[in-house]
Amino acid sequence: MFSISFEPRAPRSPKRLAVGTITIGAFTERFEAPLDYWTCKAYEAHWREAVRRIVIGRRRSALITSMLDPAN
């Protein structure tokens, strides 16, 4: 089993931070994703594309969970 998603936002959570969970088999880990550069929708679109690359047989792909402005 594999999944990656954001958890529902807590009412008092920082607006510029989202908490997510990634599960691979029996392993589960939470992560914090900064929202200064990418939105939750941008992360999710990136994840779909990264998984698509794996499914079509590409040798490499990455699922980014913390994206900051590359110019900085």
Side-chain angles (χ1 to χ4, degrees):
M1 177 185 165
F2 169 80
S3 68
I4 186 169
S5 62
F6 287 114
E7 297 175 2
R9 293 180 64 90
R12 295 179 190 243
S13 66
K15 291 184 179 183
R16 303 309 309 160
L17 184 70
V19 176
T21 304
I22 185 166
T23 301
I24 304 169
F27 173 82
T28 297
E29 182 172 279
R30 294 177 77 208
F31 60 89
E32 294 180 340
L35 300 176
D36 298 315
Y37 188 71
W38 277 0
T39 63
C40 286
K41 288 186 180 193
Y43 279 103
E44 291 165 347
H46 160 74
W47 297 337
R48 282 190 297 276
E49 177 58 24
V51 170
R52 185 192 70 77
R53 285 191 297 269
I54 294 167
V55 169
I56 66 170
R58 296 279 171 91
R59 295 186 69 185
R60 297 183 186 149
S61 192
L63 282 80
I64 296 172
T65 59
S66 180
M67 184 64 178
L68 302 174
D69 186 347
N72 294 328

